[in-house]
Amino acid sequence: MSKIFNTSADCKPKLHYMVDISEKISEIKELVDRGEYFTINRARQYGKTTILRALGRTLEESYVVISLDFQVMSYANFENEQTFVSAFSSELLDNVKAIPEEINEKLIAFADGTAGNITLFTLFRVLSKWCGLSKLPVVLIIDEVDSAANNQVFLDFLAQLRGYYINRDVKPTFQSVILAGVYDIKNMKRKLRPGEEHKANSPWNIAADFEVVMSFSAEEIAGMLQEYENDHHTGMDIKEISGLIYDYTSGYPFLVSRLCKVIDEKVAGSGQFPDKADAWKREGFLEAVRIVLGEKNTLFDSLANKLSDYPELREMIYALLFYGKEIPYNSLNKPIEIAEMFGFIKNENNKAVISNRIFETVLYNLFLSEEVVGNRIYDSALQNKNQFIKDGKLDMKLVLEKFVEAFDYLYGDQNEKFIEDVGRRYFMLFLKPIINGTGNCYVEARTRKMNRTDIVVDYRGEQFVVELKLWRGKKYHADGEKQISEYLDFYHLKKGYMLTFCFNKKKEIGVKEVWYGDKLLIEAVV
């Protein structure tokens, strides 16, 4: 049976095409070898479980590995110390093959309740004795550890771990403890008593910094595609396709695998792409992007839900997307901490930026969809959307012409501040009913902070670059022509589009064609 791309649960090397994560495993093993206790907290579907299971297999050569998953434990298991110790002992018995007989007997008694009133103190005395008896150092790995958040008994469990870590020179204890989840338990909140406010009070202040890069590089993605190519012989340009995947995902593991899976299983064999050789090209990749952006999956649902749960997060993301606001990265800033924890943003040159192009487009689509009802610029495009598609191709020049007409009629008397705030959003709202379901658009991150904005539109394998800017004089406009010409080279395009918002009373509203070297620029002024 041939391998497949996997987006469900952990990836298995014998069944799935995978990025080579051996270097990441080696880096993590170095932390274990040094005796560090640490947390792997990353956003949803970031490959944490795959990493942990691969790490466990590697560590088994030199360590006794206890690998648990708190996701299988119920809320009742954390009700008090006795229920927790009983459930924890049952998990140890189910998941660890070789337990010393003396320890095994005690754990059985803890699990079935015959040991009487047991506490965390009692459990850790047994665990310490196990570590002392073991011929190999013992490593404890717990996945989905944030399932236990807001439970006093779990914080007491962490406190026991910390106590034994501090006294590890005089009491046998775990060589290393690895806790994995979305939430950073160093900042976990809890209630001390019913009705009391949440307080940050985690005893996990012994954790070492975890700086292993878990996203995939373009080179790592290329290695996975090479394995696939060895099996299927599609003739794909591996460097180009891996570069495209990285450009759109920034190496987010789930998105990387999802795009590959969609190309392999949905794009290939479709009417436009009859076989795998056709699918693994730029046009097939863009079709996969369109399909993925139209999906309702748990990752995208999670993004939307977090915006509802955290109003300050929503406000910050909106400002980043539509106002191009520069937000300095500061890990102590609560909205930034939340946004990074859930995968919305990353730290790029000490600035908070949206994590990847896929997320950015999903968020644009979400925000714009909330604004379409009663929006006049959207309605003006919706009424005439069919005229913009000719023989299955998008007529971007006509889009600009009709946008200029509609915008001037509806908002031509507004001031410059209005245009700066809504110009980008209104153009994307105008585009939405025209390309909806068939194409997508996103703001090019490299130009968002440069007093201009490049919107890239993907439609049926074609790409259009539209530069949005405010009129700042003839020299600034000429500089803009030079910039978009250079940017078109990056996209291997010969035609580009410029949309300028101008406030001169003598401005000439309309659309014209201008040649800049070998590039044809369609320039619109409103």
Side-chain angles (χ1 to χ4, degrees):
M1 182 177 70
S2 62
K3 292 183 179 182
I4 61 171
F5 292 104
N6 178 52
T7 55
S8 303
D10 67 304
C11 291
K12 304 181 188 303
K14 293 183 179 180
L15 301 177
H16 305 132
Y17 291 111
M18 289 178 57
V19 163
D20 181 2
I21 57 175
S22 57
E23 187 173 334
K24 303 180 193 299
I25 297 299
S26 295
E27 291 182 58
I28 301 174
K29 185 176 182 298
E30 287 182 14
L31 293 173
V32 174
D33 292 341
R34 294 204 305 261
E36 303 282 16
Y37 286 28
F38 56 94
T39 304
I40 302 177
N41 61 285
R42 292 293 187 274
R44 285 187 60 129
Q45 295 179 288
Y46 216 93
K48 299 183 293 294
T49 301
T50 297
I51 284 281
L52 290 180
R53 294 195 174 183
L55 176 65
R57 290 190 292 270
T58 299
L59 293 179
E60 284 175 352
E61 299 174 5
S62 309
Y63 299 97
V64 172
V65 178
I66 300 174
S67 184
L68 308 177
D69 185 346
F70 270 8
Q71 190 171 227
V72 302
M73 294 174 66
S74 69
Y75 180 80
N77 296 142
F78 294 93
E79 185 176 355
N80 55 55
E81 289 191 30
Q82 185 154 352
T83 58
F84 177 80
V85 171
S86 176
F88 189 84
S89 299
S90 294
E91 286 300 300
L92 289 175
L93 292 166
D94 288 345
N95 289 281
V96 184
K97 296 177 182 177
I99 301 176
E101 184 175 350
E102 177 183 351
I103 304 302
N104 194 68
E105 290 177 359
K106 291 185 180 296
L107 291 177
I108 291 173
F110 291 167
D112 62 20
T114 58
N117 186 26
I118 49 176
T119 64
L120 285 169
F121 176 78
T122 309
L123 171 66
F124 271 85
R125 283 176 63 90
V126 172
L127 295 177
S128 177
K129 189 166 187 178
W130 182 358
C131 292
L133 291 173
S134 178
K135 294 180 181 179
L136 296 175
V138 182
V139 175
L140 175 63
I141 301 173
I142 304 178
D143 197 5
E144 302 288 352
V145 72
D146 43 8
S147 301
N150 207 32
N151 287 287
Q152 178 64 52
V153 69
F154 176 63
L155 291 173
D156 293 340
F157 173 77
L158 293 181
Q160 289 284 340
L161 285 173
R162 180 184 64 179
Y164 274 86
Y165 173 84
I166 292 171
N167 295 312
R168 63 193 184 281
D169 56 331
V170 293
K171 291 182 180 179
T173 190
F174 300 113
Q175 163 75 14
S176 177
V177 175
I178 306 166
L179 308 178
V182 173
Y183 293 84
D184 185 351
I185 63 170
K186 287 184 292 186
N187 303 313
M188 193 166 61
K189 295 178 182 296
R190 59 150 173 159
K191 287 184 179 179
L192 296 177
R193 291 184 297 274
E196 185 174 7
E197 292 298 316
H198 280 77
K199 295 181 179 180
N201 189 14
S202 170
W204 196 242
N205 55 6
I206 56 170
D209 292 334
F210 181 79
E211 298 176 343
V212 177
V213 177
M214 290 179 62
S215 60
F216 302 149
S217 67
E219 291 74 19
E220 288 173 326
I221 296 168
M224 176 177 65
L225 294 183
Q226 184 62 64
E227 183 185 5
Y228 176 88
E229 182 65 10
N230 292 342
D231 289 343
H232 296 280
H233 311 290
T234 69
M236 79 168 83
D237 184 331
I238 291 176
K239 183 177 181 180
E240 179 190 27
I241 299 300
S242 61
L244 284 169
I245 292 172
Y246 182 79
D247 283 346
Y248 277 72
T249 67
S250 296
Y252 197 110
F254 171 82
L255 296 177
V256 170
S257 295
R258 187 63 192 157
L259 284 172
C260 290
K261 189 174 183 68
V262 169
I263 295 173
D264 183 53
E265 298 180 11
K266 293 189 176 183
V267 176
S270 64
Q272 191 178 353
F273 305 95
D275 56 38
K276 294 185 186 297
D278 295 308
W280 286 96
K281 293 179 180 177
R282 185 185 190 90
E283 294 77 12
F285 168 79
L286 294 176
E287 175 65 9
V289 170
R290 185 192 68 80
I291 293 172
V292 169
L293 288 171
E295 291 180 337
K296 181 177 174 62
N297 58 49
T298 55
L299 181 57
F300 296 166
D301 279 347
S302 177
L303 293 179
N305 291 337
K306 294 300 182 292
L307 292 176
S308 298
D309 294 341
Y310 299 92
E312 67 274 33
L313 170 64
R314 179 187 179 88
E315 183 179 341
M316 184 183 75
I317 297 299
Y318 194 93
L320 282 173
L321 290 174
F322 289 108
Y323 300 152
K325 186 174 182 179
E326 274 199 8
I327 300 179
Y329 177 86
N330 186 327
S331 60
L332 299 179
N333 178 291
K334 201 62 184 176
I336 288 177
E337 178 192 356
I338 293 169
E340 186 174 36
M341 180 169 64
F342 293 131
F344 283 90
I345 66 165
K346 60 185 177 182
N347 179 6
E348 190 172 277
N349 300 321
N350 293 317
K351 294 184 179 66
V353 300
I354 304 298
S355 291
N356 57 71
R357 191 175 294 174
I358 296 289
F359 278 8
E360 187 171 276
T361 308
V362 168
L363 294 167
Y364 270 122
N365 289 342
L366 175 62
F367 284 125
L368 290 172
S369 68
E370 296 171 350
E371 298 188 31
V372 299
V373 177
N375 186 283
R376 293 183 293 171
I377 198 75
Y378 175 88
D379 290 342
S380 66
L382 182 63
Q383 292 168 6
N384 302 293
K385 65 178 184 177
N386 293 332
Q387 67 179 307
F388 300 107
I389 310 301
K390 299 177 180 178
D391 298 323
K393 294 183 178 295
L394 176 64
D395 187 340
M396 183 58 74
K397 181 180 179 182
L398 184 60
V399 171
L400 288 182
E401 290 173 345
K402 294 302 181 182
F403 176 79
V404 168
E405 291 178 11
F407 193 91
D408 185 61
Y409 174 74
L410 295 170
Y411 312 109
D413 58 347
Q414 297 290 337
N415 60 29
E416 183 170 352
K417 178 60 178 173
F418 170 84
I419 301 301
E420 284 186 306
D421 284 350
V422 306
R424 175 195 306 177
R425 188 167 86 249
Y426 277 25
F427 181 66
M428 295 182 77
L429 275 166
F430 190 82
L431 274 173
K432 190 169 181 61
I434 298 171
I435 65 173
N436 192 36
T438 305
N440 63 79
C441 66
Y442 59 89
V443 174
E444 174 49 61
R446 280 164 284 204
T447 63
R448 188 185 293 107
K449 310 292 193 300
M450 298 168 58
N451 297 320
R452 53 184 267 256
T453 298
D454 286 323
I455 290 180
V456 181
V457 179
D458 295 335
Y459 192 88
R460 290 189 178 275
E462 283 191 285
Q463 290 189 306
F464 306 84
V465 177
V466 186
E467 179 182 308
L468 276 62
K469 61 193 301 181
L470 299 177
W471 177 263
R472 303 293 193 200
K474 292 183 178 179
K475 183 180 184 305
Y476 180 75
H477 187 76
D479 289 343
E481 291 177 331
K482 180 175 183 294
Q483 287 170 333
I484 193 171
S485 175
E486 293 172 349
Y487 196 57
L488 290 172
D489 285 334
F490 175 81
Y491 270 86
H492 309 291
L493 297 172
K494 293 295 185 181
K495 183 188 293 186
Y497 303 84
M498 296 179 68
L499 175 58
T500 302
F501 296 95
C502 181
F503 303 93
N504 292 350
K505 292 182 179 179
K506 297 181 180 180
K507 64 187 175 184
E508 185 180 340
I509 295 173
V511 178
K512 62 180 180 180
E513 296 185 356
V514 175
W515 283 95
Y516 189 93
D518 63 342
K519 307 293 192 307
L520 177 61
L521 305 182
I522 311 299
E523 299 187 358
V525 177
V526 66

